[in-house]
């Protein structure tokens, strides 16, 4: 699976109902979606609230998300997690695997999992759409999406 690169924004307009009192603020937005080329799934498109990009990462503790090798495949095949979330990487197979998470060609993290039942925890430090692979088994692929700060509240 090669992750498609896409620049995106959506086109739309929010209209204010006529029942609002005179002088009430009118909220509208113009958004555009541009996809140059997508060679394979996944393509992630999402909406964020006005001002969400400037929101600070909360002090809230997010539950850990799981990324597990099961029957020579990653489960789940697509995972969404907030920035600063913990990822518990595990192996439930009798075979050795590794979980190699890529940000483009750069490694975000690479965890060797020789034994089942010994999970390793990593913290997500960047936003983006990341490709997950097992270097030992090239058919094992997944994707991990960490949306920009403030999206997952």
């Amino acid at each position: 699976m090669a992750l498609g690169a896409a620049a995106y924004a959506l086109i739309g307009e929010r209209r204010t109902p006529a029942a609002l009192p005179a002088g009430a603020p009118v909220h509208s937005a113009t958004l555009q979606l541009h996809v140059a080329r997508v060679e394979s799934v996944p393509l992630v498109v999402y909406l964020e609230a006005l001002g969400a990009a400037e929101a600070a990462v909360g002090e809230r503790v997010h539950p850990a998300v799981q990324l597990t090798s099961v029957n020579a495949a990653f489960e789940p095949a697509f995972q969404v997690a907030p920035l600063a979330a913990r990822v518990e990487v595990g192996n439930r197979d009798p075979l050795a695997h590794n979980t190699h998470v890529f940000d483009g060609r750069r490694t975000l993290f690479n965890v060797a999992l020789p034994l089942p039942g010994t999970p390793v925890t990593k913290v997500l430090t960047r936003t983006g759409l990341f490709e997950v692979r097992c270097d030992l088994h090239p058919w094992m692929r997944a994707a991990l999406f960490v949306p920009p700060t403030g999206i997952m509240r």
Side-chain angles (χ1 to χ4, degrees):
M1 160 185 21
L3 298 180
Y8 48 82
L10 294 176
I11 299 177
E13 182 177 327
R14 178 179 172 196
R15 298 178 189 257
T16 305
L20 285 179
V26 175
H27 300 284
S28 66
T30 301
L31 308 158
Q32 298 178 357
L33 175 62
H34 299 283
V35 178
R37 187 174 92 206
V38 176
E39 294 178 6
S40 66
V41 295
L43 169 66
V44 177
V45 178
Y46 62 92
L47 299 175
E48 64 182 58
L50 294 174
E54 293 82 30
V57 174
E59 294 298 320
R60 193 170 358 156
V61 175
H62 297 285
V65 295
Q66 309 290 319
L67 191 54
T68 307
S69 301
V70 180
N71 298 322
F74 287 111
E75 286 187 5
F78 183 79
Q79 177 72 270
V80 179
L83 183 63
R86 297 179 330 274
V87 179
E88 289 182 1
V89 180
N91 180 11
R92 292 196 334 229
D93 279 348
L95 301 172
H97 294 291
N98 76 312
T99 301
H100 198 163
V101 179
F102 289 91
D103 181 4
R105 291 182 176 214
R106 297 183 322 183
T107 295
L108 186 63
F109 60 83
N110 189 1
V111 176
L113 298 165
L115 301 173
T118 310
V120 175
T121 301
K122 294 292 185 179
V123 175
L124 297 170
T125 58
R126 289 200 294 254
T127 62
L129 179 59
F130 305 110
E131 184 174 9
V132 180
R133 293 186 278 189
C134 174
D135 297 325
L136 303 171
H137 307 103
W139 63 88
M140 290 180 65
R141 305 287 176 122
L144 174 63
F145 178 58
V146 181
T149 305
I151 300 299
M152 295 181 72
R153 295 185 198 193

